[in-house]
Amino acid sequence: YSSETWTLAGSPYTVSGNLVVFDGVEITVEPGVIVQFNQNASLELRGKLTAIGTSSDWIYFTSSNASPIMNSWYGITVLGTSQTPINQVTMEYVKGMYSTTFINLDAAYNGPYNFKHCYFAQNAKVNEDGGAPSTNFDYCTFEANAQALDWCQFDNRASHCSFINNAIGLVGIEKVDTCYFRGHTDFALAPYGVTTGCNIENNVVGVKTGFNAVNHTFVNNTIMYNEIGIEIDSYFNGSQTFTG
């Protein structure tokens, strides 16, 4: 009900049920803090969350299970707020692990939503949709998720990210640049918009077109050592342009 700082001295913090951060409330998480969620617990964010760690003191949002597995907790659901904060969610050097959907931004309208130098692993899905006006993943690593990034409705970007050993890497992200994709057991990416300067290697399927992938531009990417390099399937009327 009121703003708090979750301190390193108070860590770990255990969430036992559905924790609601109310409208107008800001939670600040200090470097090194562990936030652990019991089975099926979740966080509903109507206020603001700022979690900025460092390269030597990561912040963890993870399961409290001694032997955690995917789907151990439900994740973070973000709702738009009447307080209209800027940057409703900011995460840097955060590890998000073992959730059903780590960050659900389907009803989030108080961004931009920024994730930088984060590590996401063993989630069924990292995101559900994107928030307005934009959702940005920069210098992040996505490893061993069932699906890393999913479709975002508003302006969105994945830049200088690594996608490693997921089942599905990336679907429907508008701007993808300078990313690395390896070891995907389904496909590495089905992008939408412009994809530039990526390395896509050693996947079952490297790149595939998908629903609503009209007028996609694929520029100066390297696709090699995949079982199928580029799978052109189906899309609305328009064009797929491959250059460089």
Side-chain angles (χ1 to χ4, degrees):
Y1 289 97
S2 58
S3 296
E4 296 181 353
T5 297
W6 295 354
T7 65
L8 181 58
S11 180
Y13 291 82
T14 302
V15 180
S16 59
N18 181 38
L19 176 63
V20 179
V21 178
F22 280 93
D23 201 355
V25 172
E26 180 174 359
I27 301 298
T28 303
V29 186
E30 288 187 344
V33 165
I34 297 172
V35 185
Q36 56 188 17
F37 292 77
N38 289 351
Q39 187 71 36
N40 299 330
S42 61
L43 176 70
E44 183 177 303
L45 182 68
R46 307 178 192 175
K48 184 174 181 178
L49 175 64
T50 303
I52 300 179
T54 69
S55 59
S56 58
D57 288 297
W58 289 74
I59 295 169
Y60 286 78
F61 288 85
T62 187
S63 169
S64 63
N65 291 345
S67 299
I69 60 173
M70 192 179 292
N71 291 306
S72 289
W73 60 289
Y74 285 139
I76 301 169
T77 298
V78 183
L79 303 179
T81 167
S82 62
Q83 301 294 323
T84 61
I86 303 300
N87 300 101
Q88 189 179 10
V89 176
T90 301
M91 292 188 180
E92 295 183 17
Y93 291 104
V94 167
K95 294 189 177 184
M97 307 174 72
Y98 302 110
S99 71
T100 300
T101 300
F102 177 72
I103 187 85
N104 186 331
L105 298 168
D106 185 45
Y109 303 104
N110 299 102
Y113 297 87
N114 292 321
F115 305 86
K116 190 172 184 179
H117 295 295
C118 293
Y119 176 80
F120 304 101
Q122 296 289 338
N123 302 286
K125 189 184 288 186
V126 173
N127 76 300
E128 180 70 32
D129 209 334
S134 65
T135 302
N136 306 299
F137 294 89
D138 298 303
Y139 299 93
C140 295
T141 297
F142 304 83
E143 186 170 10
N145 303 282
Q147 180 172 335
L149 290 183
D150 199 7
W151 183 267
C152 292
Q153 181 180 1
F154 301 103
D155 183 43
N156 52 88
R157 178 183 72 237
S159 178
H160 295 85
C161 293
S162 294
F163 297 80
I164 301 169
N165 296 338
N166 307 285
I168 296 173
L170 174 155
V171 176
I173 301 299
E174 183 179 10
K175 289 172 288 197
V176 182
D177 77 271
T178 325
C179 291
Y180 177 68
F181 298 84
R182 187 192 72 219
H184 292 83
T185 56
D186 193 337
F187 61 89
L189 71 158
Y192 170 78
V194 179
T195 300
T196 57
C198 294
N199 287 317
I200 303 153
E201 60 186 35
N202 292 297
N203 306 283
V204 172
V205 176
V207 186
K208 65 182 295 183
T209 59
F211 184 71
N212 203 22
V214 63
N215 297 334
H216 179 72
T217 303
F218 198 79
V219 182
N220 295 338
N221 300 285
T222 301
I223 309 104
M224 60 185 181
Y225 308 128
N226 305 281
E227 292 183 24
I228 299 173
I230 299 173
E231 181 178 274
I232 299 180
D233 190 6
S234 63
Y235 47 89
F236 285 133
N237 293 332
S239 64
Q240 304 284 322
T241 304
F242 298 85
T243 59

Short mmCIF file of all heavy atoms in Angstrom, two decimals, residues 2 11 33 80 89 118 123 133 141 165 182 185 189 191 218 235-236 238:
data_model
loop_
_atom_site.label_atom_id
_atom_site.label_comp_id
_atom_site.label_asym_id
_atom_site.label_seq_id
_atom_site.Cartn_x
_atom_site.Cartn_y
_atom_site.Cartn_z
N SER A 2 2.12 1.15 0.39
CA SER A 2 2.99 2.33 0.41
C SER A 2 4.34 1.96 -0.17
O SER A 2 4.74 0.79 -0.18
CB SER A 2 3.15 2.85 1.85
OG SER A 2 3.67 1.84 2.69
N SER A 11 17.14 -9.24 2.48
CA SER A 11 17.04 -10.33 1.51
C SER A 11 17.33 -11.69 2.17
O SER A 11 18.16 -11.75 3.09
CB SER A 11 18.04 -10.08 0.38
OG SER A 11 18.00 -11.09 -0.58
N VAL A 33 19.66 -8.32 -4.12
CA VAL A 33 18.46 -8.84 -3.45
C VAL A 33 17.92 -10.06 -4.20
O VAL A 33 17.91 -10.11 -5.43
CB VAL A 33 17.38 -7.74 -3.35
CG1 VAL A 33 16.02 -8.32 -3.00
CG2 VAL A 33 17.80 -6.69 -2.33
N GLY A 80 -1.73 -1.02 -16.30
CA GLY A 80 -1.63 0.43 -16.42
C GLY A 80 -2.19 1.11 -15.18
O GLY A 80 -3.06 0.58 -14.49
N VAL A 89 8.30 -0.07 -15.34
CA VAL A 89 9.20 -1.17 -15.00
C VAL A 89 10.57 -0.88 -15.61
O VAL A 89 10.69 -0.66 -16.81
CB VAL A 89 8.69 -2.52 -15.52
CG1 VAL A 89 9.70 -3.62 -15.23
CG2 VAL A 89 7.34 -2.86 -14.90
N CYS A 118 19.94 -8.17 -18.60
CA CYS A 118 19.20 -9.14 -17.81
C CYS A 118 19.42 -10.56 -18.34
O CYS A 118 19.84 -10.77 -19.48
CB CYS A 118 17.70 -8.81 -17.83
SG CYS A 118 17.29 -7.26 -16.97
N ASN A 123 12.07 -20.24 -18.10
CA ASN A 123 10.69 -19.75 -18.07
C ASN A 123 9.90 -20.40 -19.21
O ASN A 123 10.46 -20.65 -20.29
CB ASN A 123 10.65 -18.23 -18.23
CG ASN A 123 11.45 -17.52 -17.17
OD1 ASN A 123 11.04 -17.43 -16.02
ND2 ASN A 123 12.62 -17.01 -17.54
N PRO A 133 4.69 3.21 -24.23
CA PRO A 133 4.84 3.33 -25.68
C PRO A 133 5.85 2.37 -26.29
O PRO A 133 5.87 2.20 -27.50
CB PRO A 133 5.32 4.78 -25.85
CG PRO A 133 6.10 5.05 -24.62
CD PRO A 133 5.39 4.31 -23.52
N THR A 141 20.31 -11.89 -22.09
CA THR A 141 20.51 -13.28 -22.48
C THR A 141 19.26 -14.08 -22.14
O THR A 141 18.72 -13.97 -21.04
CB THR A 141 21.73 -13.88 -21.76
OG1 THR A 141 22.90 -13.16 -22.15
CG2 THR A 141 21.91 -15.35 -22.11
N ASN A 165 19.72 -22.01 -26.75
CA ASN A 165 19.12 -23.28 -26.29
C ASN A 165 17.69 -23.13 -25.78
O ASN A 165 17.28 -23.85 -24.85
CB ASN A 165 20.00 -23.93 -25.22
CG ASN A 165 21.36 -24.34 -25.75
OD1 ASN A 165 21.54 -24.52 -26.96
ND2 ASN A 165 22.32 -24.47 -24.86
N ARG A 182 21.37 -19.47 -31.11
CA ARG A 182 22.01 -20.78 -31.23
C ARG A 182 21.24 -21.84 -30.45
O ARG A 182 20.74 -21.58 -29.35
CB ARG A 182 23.44 -20.72 -30.68
CG ARG A 182 24.26 -22.00 -30.91
CD ARG A 182 25.54 -22.01 -30.09
NE ARG A 182 25.26 -22.23 -28.67
CZ ARG A 182 25.89 -21.63 -27.68
NH1 ARG A 182 26.83 -20.73 -27.93
NH2 ARG A 182 25.58 -21.90 -26.42
N THR A 185 15.53 -25.70 -30.49
CA THR A 185 15.02 -27.00 -30.90
C THR A 185 13.77 -26.90 -31.77
O THR A 185 13.41 -27.88 -32.43
CB THR A 185 14.71 -27.85 -29.66
OG1 THR A 185 13.79 -27.14 -28.80
CG2 THR A 185 15.99 -28.14 -28.88
N LEU A 189 13.95 -17.65 -34.77
CA LEU A 189 13.16 -16.42 -34.77
C LEU A 189 12.19 -16.38 -35.93
O LEU A 189 12.47 -16.88 -37.01
CB LEU A 189 14.05 -15.17 -34.78
CG LEU A 189 14.85 -14.81 -36.03
CD1 LEU A 189 15.20 -13.32 -36.00
CD2 LEU A 189 16.14 -15.61 -36.13
N PRO A 191 10.60 -13.09 -37.06
CA PRO A 191 10.55 -11.67 -36.74
C PRO A 191 9.47 -10.92 -37.52
O PRO A 191 8.82 -11.46 -38.41
CB PRO A 191 11.94 -11.19 -37.13
CG PRO A 191 12.33 -12.10 -38.25
CD PRO A 191 11.68 -13.43 -37.97
N PHE A 218 15.00 -8.11 -43.97
CA PHE A 218 16.01 -8.94 -43.33
C PHE A 218 17.35 -8.58 -43.96
O PHE A 218 17.61 -8.91 -45.12
CB PHE A 218 15.65 -10.40 -43.59
CG PHE A 218 16.31 -11.39 -42.69
CD1 PHE A 218 15.85 -11.61 -41.40
CD2 PHE A 218 17.40 -12.13 -43.14
CE1 PHE A 218 16.46 -12.54 -40.59
CE2 PHE A 218 18.01 -13.06 -42.33
CZ PHE A 218 17.54 -13.27 -41.05
N TYR A 235 2.14 -15.76 -45.01
CA TYR A 235 1.97 -14.44 -44.41
C TYR A 235 0.95 -13.68 -45.23
O TYR A 235 0.53 -14.10 -46.30
CB TYR A 235 3.30 -13.67 -44.35
CG TYR A 235 4.10 -13.69 -45.64
CD1 TYR A 235 3.91 -12.74 -46.62
CD2 TYR A 235 5.05 -14.70 -45.86
CE1 TYR A 235 4.64 -12.76 -47.81
CE2 TYR A 235 5.78 -14.73 -47.04
CZ TYR A 235 5.57 -13.77 -48.00
OH TYR A 235 6.28 -13.80 -49.16
N PHE A 236 0.50 -12.54 -44.71
CA PHE A 236 -0.47 -11.71 -45.43
C PHE A 236 0.16 -11.16 -46.72
O PHE A 236 1.38 -11.20 -46.89
CB PHE A 236 -0.94 -10.55 -44.56
CG PHE A 236 -1.91 -10.96 -43.49
CD1 PHE A 236 -1.74 -10.51 -42.19
CD2 PHE A 236 -2.98 -11.77 -43.77
CE1 PHE A 236 -2.63 -10.87 -41.20
CE2 PHE A 236 -3.87 -12.14 -42.79
CZ PHE A 236 -3.70 -11.69 -41.50
N GLY A 238 2.02 -9.03 -49.20
CA GLY A 238 3.11 -8.10 -48.94
C GLY A 238 4.39 -8.70 -49.46
O GLY A 238 4.39 -9.46 -50.41
#
